[in-house]
């Protein structure tokens, strides 16, 4: 399966980054499902998306009808099973290897066999996060920068087992979202954070 602008997008985590990624995907025309285990977090995420959509109207990027359509393309859920039909699911939760790995094992048991799973981690090893997955070829990093609707760069990070075609499809999809997508090696900090750290010495 190739990712396209018709793909259903899942987002795990309704915080600032997750809500921002959801907005970007919905603005590109996707149906989006946002998962969080906290109902209050989902409500905050919904409010953040509404604020982002309103800002686009204020800046003349969307009219009122388009803004409403954007908001309607995003659904919010507490049930992981609702992500079963997502063709790409992007995780944006706490930076903890164990927590993320458990989530991905759960997602792999729910989503279709040709689905792509991605982590938004800024520093953890993509290869390590895929260690216990049965389909590591369909797992990669998509590192957005905060705030996701504003920042253009996305680092596309392949783990040791990531299929080159999956990474290429993900890079093309990010470009279709209006992002500047670049391939990055699976090393601490990837490109930007690694350079930033180096310049502090």
């Amino acid at each position: 399966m190739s990712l396209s602008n018709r793909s259903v997008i899942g987002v795990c985590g309704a915080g600032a980054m997750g809500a921002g990624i959801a907005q970007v995907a919905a603005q590109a025309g996707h149906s989006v499902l946002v998962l969080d285990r906290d109902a209050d977090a989902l409500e905050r995420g919904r409010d953040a998306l509404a604020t982002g959509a309103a800002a686009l109207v204020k800046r003349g990027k969307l009219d009122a009808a388009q803004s409403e359509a954007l908001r309607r393309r995003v659904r919010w859920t507490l049930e992981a099973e609702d992500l079963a039909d997502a063709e790409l699911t992007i995780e944006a939760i706490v930076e903890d290897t164990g927590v993320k790995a458990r989530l991905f094992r759960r997602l792999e048991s729910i989503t279709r066999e040709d689905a792509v799973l991605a982590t938004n981690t800024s520093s953890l090893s993509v290869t390590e996060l895929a260690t216990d997955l049965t389909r590591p070829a369909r797992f990669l990093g998509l590192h957005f920068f905060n705030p996701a609707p504003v920042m253009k760069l996305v680092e596309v990070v392949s783990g040791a087992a990531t299929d080159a075609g999956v990474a290429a499809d993900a890079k093309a999809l990010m470009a279709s979202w209006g992002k500047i997508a670049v391939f990055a090696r699976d090393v601490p900090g990837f490109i930007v954070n690694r350079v930033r750290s180096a310049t502090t010495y």
Side-chain angles (χ1 to χ4, degrees):
M1 177 196 70
S2 295
L3 298 170
S4 72
N5 59 10
R6 294 183 179 180
S7 298
V8 176
I9 306 298
V11 177
C12 295
M17 184 58 76
I21 293 170
Q23 178 184 322
V24 173
Q27 195 172 339
H30 295 271
S31 295
V32 183
L33 286 154
V34 181
L35 169 70
D36 202 289
R37 61 183 182 180
D38 185 323
D40 290 339
L42 287 178
E43 190 61 34
R44 290 191 296 270
R46 187 181 288 108
D47 290 344
L49 182 76
T51 298
L56 291 171
V57 174
K58 187 174 182 179
R59 288 167 24 217
K61 302 291 186 180
L62 299 178
D63 61 30
Q66 291 169 326
S67 175
E68 178 63 21
L70 184 158
R71 292 172 62 185
R72 289 183 180 276
R73 282 194 289 273
V74 182
R75 293 193 291 132
W76 309 82
T77 183
L78 295 167
E79 304 297 331
E81 288 75 12
D82 288 343
L83 296 178
D85 292 328
E87 292 154 88
L88 167 66
T89 297
I90 304 169
E91 163 273 318
I93 63 172
V94 62
E95 284 286 270
D96 181 288
T97 299
V99 174
K100 288 180 187 288
R102 285 192 295 274
L103 172 63
F104 285 120
R105 288 195 297 272
R106 175 72 171 134
L107 290 172
E108 199 175 49
S109 73
I110 293 167
T111 55
R112 43 198 281 180
E113 287 195 0
D114 60 354
V116 175
L117 301 179
T119 175
N120 184 58
T121 184
S122 60
S123 60
L124 301 178
S125 168
V126 172
T127 297
E128 185 177 352
L129 288 172
T131 298
D132 294 332
L133 296 181
T134 60
R135 300 190 294 273
R138 306 196 67 76
F139 179 80
L140 77 164
L142 289 175
H143 179 214
F144 292 77
F145 292 80
N146 195 26
V150 176
M151 302 297 281
K152 290 293 187 182
L153 184 65
V154 176
E155 294 176 322
V156 180
V157 187
S158 292
T162 305
D163 182 271
V166 169
D169 280 351
K171 184 175 183 287
L173 183 69
M174 294 300 100
S176 78
W177 291 7
K179 298 301 184 183
I180 299 170
V182 297
F183 289 125
R185 292 173 55 211
D186 187 20
V187 296
F190 309 134
I191 298 174
V192 174
N193 288 341
R194 190 177 179 85
V195 171
R196 185 179 296 157
S197 296
T199 59
T200 63
Y201 290 98

